[in-house]
Amino acid sequence: TNLQYAPLCEIMGRVVHLAPEACNCSAPDTGNMEVLAKYGNSYQKRTFLQPLLNGEIRSCFGMTEPAVASSDARNIECSMIKSSDGQYYIVNGRKHWTSGAMDSRCSICILMGKTSVTAPSYLQQSQLIVPMNLKGIRIERHLNVYGYDDAPHGHAEVVFNNVRVPVENLILGEGKGFEIAQGRLGPGRIHHCMRIIGMAERALDLMKKRCLTRHAFGSAL
């Protein structure tokens, strides 16, 4: 449960660039694992979740778009239209700050897009599992955050150009994108907050140790 996992994030946050990777608990993989565990069907769990849990592959998460204010996901424009034979979703769009996409081991992207433009605004979005080796996917550029590249994971701008994704890769159903996103992002915020608490605790420990060993003006600090 997240109640059990949160204290582990706090511990891993003390060595935030190493411990999550060593424990196979790096973002966005943990969030993607939770999505597949909670909302995936048996095929998706067997094909995509199990390799993630085994540490055999990595994943990314594509939601934010550069052309719209996608902090409100109703604005996203990435389209997922069924092919005429009903066997594929044809994906077209541009995502940026796609966390995990720069990892050479990244094999799948959980992608948020629109399967309808006529449904009610919160039921237009869906989420697809997109294998990153499909034709039409292009890593446009690597994005730094305040000069940090967040290796080995990294964030990217990714273009999807007529990418054909099998319909069985749709998670939960059409129009379920917001439901999945809220189920993912709620625990994800807890994970990040607990890691940051661990980082802060380590910084405080280092500062206290420094105070005990530092002398200035004839006395200890």
Side-chain angles (χ1 to χ4, degrees), residues 20-40:
E21 176 77 12
C23 296
N24 194 26
C25 292
S26 298
D29 292 324
T30 47
N32 289 343
M33 291 174 191
E34 288 181 340
V35 165
L36 294 171
K38 186 173 182 180
Y39 302 108

Side-chain angles (χ1 to χ4, degrees), residues 68-106:
V68 297
S70 44
S71 55
D72 182 346
R74 291 176 297 176
N75 295 325
I76 63 173
E77 295 178 341
C78 179
S79 64
M80 301 171 173
I81 307 300
K82 264 189 181 177
S83 60
S84 57
D85 61 6
Q87 299 300 305
Y88 297 91
Y89 284 98
I90 310 302
V91 179
N92 284 282
R94 182 183 294 265
K95 298 289 186 178
H96 70 168
W97 302 112
T98 305
S99 297
M102 294 305 300
D103 195 318
S104 61
R105 302 162 295 174
C106 181

Side-chain angles (χ1 to χ4, degrees), residues 74-142:
R74 291 176 297 176
N75 295 325
I76 63 173
E77 295 178 341
C78 179
S79 64
M80 301 171 173
I81 307 300
K82 264 189 181 177
S83 60
S84 57
D85 61 6
Q87 299 300 305
Y88 297 91
Y89 284 98
I90 310 302
V91 179
N92 284 282
R94 182 183 294 265
K95 298 289 186 178
H96 70 168
W97 302 112
T98 305
S99 297
M102 294 305 300
D103 195 318
S104 61
R105 302 162 295 174
C106 181
S107 297
I108 60 170
C109 175
I110 293 184
L111 184 69
M112 180 94 152
K114 282 189 175 180
T115 47
S116 172
V117 294
T118 58
S121 58
Y122 286 102
L123 298 176
Q124 297 179 5
Q125 300 77 15
S126 304
Q127 294 198 19
L128 270 176
I129 305 166
V130 181
M132 290 298 284
N133 61 356
L134 291 181
K135 183 180 178 181
I137 298 177
R138 183 176 79 251
I139 303 295
E140 188 77 2
R141 61 185 175 127
H142 181 205

